[in-house]
mmCIF file of all heavy atoms in Angstrom:
data_model
loop_
_atom_site.group_PDB
_atom_site.id
_atom_site.type_symbol
_atom_site.label_atom_id
_atom_site.label_comp_id
_atom_site.label_asym_id
_atom_site.label_seq_id
_atom_site.Cartn_x
_atom_site.Cartn_y
_atom_site.Cartn_z
ATOM 1 N N MET A 27 -34.424 13.491 -8.424
ATOM 2 C CA MET A 27 -34.120 12.307 -9.229
ATOM 3 C C MET A 27 -34.742 11.084 -8.559
ATOM 4 O O MET A 27 -34.465 10.778 -7.408
ATOM 5 C CB MET A 27 -32.607 12.118 -9.340
ATOM 6 C CG MET A 27 -32.204 10.975 -10.255
ATOM 7 S SD MET A 27 -30.420 10.673 -10.189
ATOM 8 C CE MET A 27 -29.777 12.272 -10.682
ATOM 9 N N ASN A 31 -36.100 5.549 -11.773
ATOM 10 C CA ASN A 31 -35.705 5.960 -13.119
ATOM 11 C C ASN A 31 -34.241 5.662 -13.425
ATOM 12 O O ASN A 31 -33.755 5.966 -14.512
ATOM 13 C CB ASN A 31 -35.953 7.463 -13.308
ATOM 14 C CG ASN A 31 -37.427 7.806 -13.254
ATOM 15 O OD1 ASN A 31 -38.276 6.976 -13.596
ATOM 16 N ND2 ASN A 31 -37.744 9.030 -12.830
ATOM 17 N N HIS A 48 -10.936 5.437 -18.502
ATOM 18 C CA HIS A 48 -10.727 5.091 -19.908
ATOM 19 C C HIS A 48 -11.878 4.194 -20.360
ATOM 20 O O HIS A 48 -12.148 3.157 -19.738
ATOM 21 C CB HIS A 48 -9.390 4.365 -20.062
ATOM 22 C CG HIS A 48 -8.908 4.264 -21.467
ATOM 23 N ND1 HIS A 48 -9.403 3.344 -22.356
ATOM 24 C CD2 HIS A 48 -7.971 4.974 -22.142
ATOM 25 C CE1 HIS A 48 -8.782 3.474 -23.517
ATOM 26 N NE2 HIS A 48 -7.913 4.468 -23.407
ATOM 27 N N VAL A 49 -12.558 4.591 -21.439
ATOM 28 C CA VAL A 49 -13.737 3.858 -21.902
ATOM 29 C C VAL A 49 -13.381 2.440 -22.341
ATOM 30 O O VAL A 49 -14.049 1.464 -21.972
ATOM 31 C CB VAL A 49 -14.431 4.625 -23.043
ATOM 32 C CG1 VAL A 49 -15.511 3.761 -23.704
ATOM 33 C CG2 VAL A 49 -15.048 5.918 -22.517
ATOM 34 N N THR A 50 -12.324 2.295 -23.122
ATOM 35 C CA THR A 50 -11.956 0.970 -23.639
ATOM 36 C C THR A 50 -11.545 0.031 -22.510
ATOM 37 O O THR A 50 -11.975 -1.133 -22.461
ATOM 38 C CB THR A 50 -10.811 1.092 -24.661
ATOM 39 O OG1 THR A 50 -11.241 1.938 -25.737
ATOM 40 C CG2 THR A 50 -10.446 -0.274 -25.217
ATOM 41 N N ASN A 68 -22.546 8.561 -21.248
ATOM 42 C CA ASN A 68 -23.422 9.682 -21.630
ATOM 43 C C ASN A 68 -24.649 9.744 -20.728
ATOM 44 O O ASN A 68 -25.092 10.829 -20.328
ATOM 45 C CB ASN A 68 -23.834 9.550 -23.090
ATOM 46 C CG ASN A 68 -22.680 9.794 -24.045
ATOM 47 O OD1 ASN A 68 -21.752 10.536 -23.706
ATOM 48 N ND2 ASN A 68 -22.714 9.181 -25.208
ATOM 49 N N PRO A 77 -19.594 16.266 -16.205
ATOM 50 C CA PRO A 77 -18.807 15.546 -17.226
ATOM 51 C C PRO A 77 -18.129 14.282 -16.695
ATOM 52 O O PRO A 77 -17.784 13.386 -17.468
ATOM 53 C CB PRO A 77 -17.778 16.578 -17.681
ATOM 54 C CG PRO A 77 -17.670 17.533 -16.535
ATOM 55 C CD PRO A 77 -19.038 17.599 -15.929
ATOM 56 N N LYS A 100 -18.150 2.996 -3.892
ATOM 57 C CA LYS A 100 -17.601 1.677 -3.552
ATOM 58 C C LYS A 100 -18.298 1.112 -2.315
ATOM 59 O O LYS A 100 -18.538 -0.090 -2.223
ATOM 60 C CB LYS A 100 -16.086 1.777 -3.326
ATOM 61 C CG LYS A 100 -15.285 1.925 -4.606
ATOM 62 C CD LYS A 100 -13.808 1.824 -4.348
ATOM 63 C CE LYS A 100 -13.016 1.891 -5.641
ATOM 64 N NZ LYS A 100 -13.291 0.741 -6.520
ATOM 65 N N GLU A 107 -23.533 -5.958 -2.700
ATOM 66 C CA GLU A 107 -22.990 -7.307 -2.834
ATOM 67 C C GLU A 107 -23.244 -8.126 -1.580
ATOM 68 O O GLU A 107 -23.606 -9.303 -1.640
ATOM 69 C CB GLU A 107 -21.483 -7.236 -3.122
ATOM 70 C CG GLU A 107 -21.146 -6.747 -4.520
ATOM 71 C CD GLU A 107 -19.644 -6.672 -4.740
ATOM 72 O OE1 GLU A 107 -18.898 -6.980 -3.782
ATOM 73 O OE2 GLU A 107 -19.214 -6.315 -5.843
ATOM 74 N N PRO A 118 -12.539 -17.646 -5.132
ATOM 75 C CA PRO A 118 -11.321 -17.084 -5.742
ATOM 76 C C PRO A 118 -11.061 -17.596 -7.153
ATOM 77 O O PRO A 118 -10.675 -16.821 -8.038
ATOM 78 C CB PRO A 118 -10.215 -17.513 -4.777
ATOM 79 C CG PRO A 118 -10.907 -17.732 -3.487
ATOM 80 C CD PRO A 118 -12.259 -18.257 -3.821
ATOM 81 N N THR A 152 -7.931 -13.007 -11.224
ATOM 82 C CA THR A 152 -7.870 -11.685 -10.604
ATOM 83 C C THR A 152 -6.693 -10.889 -11.154
ATOM 84 O O THR A 152 -5.742 -11.449 -11.697
ATOM 85 C CB THR A 152 -7.729 -11.787 -9.070
ATOM 86 O OG1 THR A 152 -6.507 -12.482 -8.763
ATOM 87 C CG2 THR A 152 -8.904 -12.530 -8.464
ATOM 88 N N ALA A 241 14.295 11.372 22.245
ATOM 89 C CA ALA A 241 13.766 11.185 23.604
ATOM 90 C C ALA A 241 14.885 11.171 24.643
ATOM 91 O O ALA A 241 14.638 11.442 25.826
ATOM 92 C CB ALA A 241 12.967 9.882 23.667
#
Side-chain angles (χ1 to χ4, degrees):
M27 185 187 302
N31 294 332
H48 195 281
V49 170
T50 301
N68 290 332
K100 285 188 177 295
E107 288 179 359
T152 61

